[in-house]
Amino acid sequence: MILVVYAHPHHSRSIAQRALLDAVRDLPGVEIDALYDRYPDFDIDVEVEQARLARASLVVWQHPVYWYAPPALLKLWFEVVLTRGWAYGEGGTALRGKGCLWVASAGSPAADYTAEGLHGHGFDAFTPAVERTARLCGLDWQPPIVALGAHRDPAGLAERAAAYRTTLEAWTRTHE
């Protein structure tokens, strides 16, 4: 099973994240865990979330990037679900060897993610916190799928959505 942990506080207004999610939601073996729908009060059911993770061969963290980081509910999910002794640390082997794919979007176009651009760095500069979270938990980090300025670039968004679908299809074929 592929678990898509989806965190968008304003899904109905999203162009990029909605297109990305729509590209994979009908794939067999894909389970969508829409955190903002499930936990509008931020009261995360840790046991339910850990059980979902335990069943997955690939964990996808899909979300827009806000202020260079995941949305608040996903950040809280990391804190309360990925616990010491379960996900990392002594005895924390529940996720070891599972794949992890980061599917992110940001409103700024790629040109803004340069040394000379608005953000002063390439987008890769904002990857380490998410990647280190995955690696600390023993997850096998996969190359991220990132859609930059996607709401202004329908062709680029369609390309990212197709790449996402292809990636999940390939995962399914090689991990059955």
Side-chain angles (χ1 to χ4, degrees), residues 124-146:
D124 288 349
F126 306 105
T127 301
V130 177
E131 181 178 356
R132 292 308 319 152
T133 298
R135 292 191 186 279
L136 178 67
C137 295
L139 291 161
D140 181 19
W141 182 254
Q142 304 297 303
I145 295 174
V146 180

Side-chain angles (χ1 to χ4, degrees), residues 106-114 117-119 121 123 147-153:
S108 293
D112 285 352
Y113 288 98
T114 63
L118 176 66
H119 303 294
H121 297 280
F123 189 82
L148 299 176
H151 62 286
R152 299 180 188 128
D153 180 13

Side-chain angles (χ1 to χ4, degrees), residues 78-117:
F78 289 155
E79 292 172 12
V80 300
V81 174
L82 305 179
T83 56
R84 177 183 294 280
W86 186 81
Y88 71 96
E90 186 176 336
T93 60
L95 303 177
R96 189 163 294 151
K98 296 175 184 286
C100 184
L101 175 65
W102 187 36
V103 179
S105 65
S108 293
D112 285 352
Y113 288 98
T114 63
E116 301 78 29

Side-chain angles (χ1 to χ4, degrees), residues 11-171:
H11 175 76
S12 65
R13 296 189 311 219
S14 172
I15 294 171
Q17 285 294 327
R18 193 172 53 224
L20 292 165
L21 194 62
D22 287 347
V24 301
R25 78 167 60 250
D26 67 330
L27 289 173
V30 170
E31 182 177 318
I32 309 295
D33 186 9
L35 297 182
Y36 280 89
D37 291 344
R38 187 178 305 279
Y39 304 114
D41 58 359
F42 281 50
D43 188 17
I44 297 169
D45 188 329
V46 173
E47 288 181 14
V48 166
E49 295 301 313
Q50 288 178 344
R52 282 191 178 98
L53 286 166
R55 291 192 321 271
S57 67
L58 176 66
V59 177
V60 179
W61 292 328
Q62 182 180 337
H63 62 87
V65 173
Y66 289 145
W67 293 102
Y68 312 108
L73 184 54
L74 183 56
K75 178 68 171 77
L76 177 63
W77 184 94
F78 289 155
E79 292 172 12
V80 300
V81 174
L82 305 179
T83 56
R84 177 183 294 280
W86 186 81
Y88 71 96
E90 186 176 336
T93 60
L95 303 177
R96 189 163 294 151
K98 296 175 184 286
C100 184
L101 175 65
W102 187 36
V103 179
S105 65
S108 293
D112 285 352
Y113 288 98
T114 63
E116 301 78 29
L118 176 66
H119 303 294
H121 297 280
F123 189 82
D124 288 349
F126 306 105
T127 301
V130 177
E131 181 178 356
R132 292 308 319 152
T133 298
R135 292 191 186 279
L136 178 67
C137 295
L139 291 161
D140 181 19
W141 182 254
Q142 304 297 303
I145 295 174
V146 180
L148 299 176
H151 62 286
R152 299 180 188 128
D153 180 13
L157 178 56
E159 179 183 303
R160 296 287 80 211
Y164 185 20
R165 184 176 182 91
T166 299
T167 299
L168 295 194
E169 288 171 333
W171 182 273

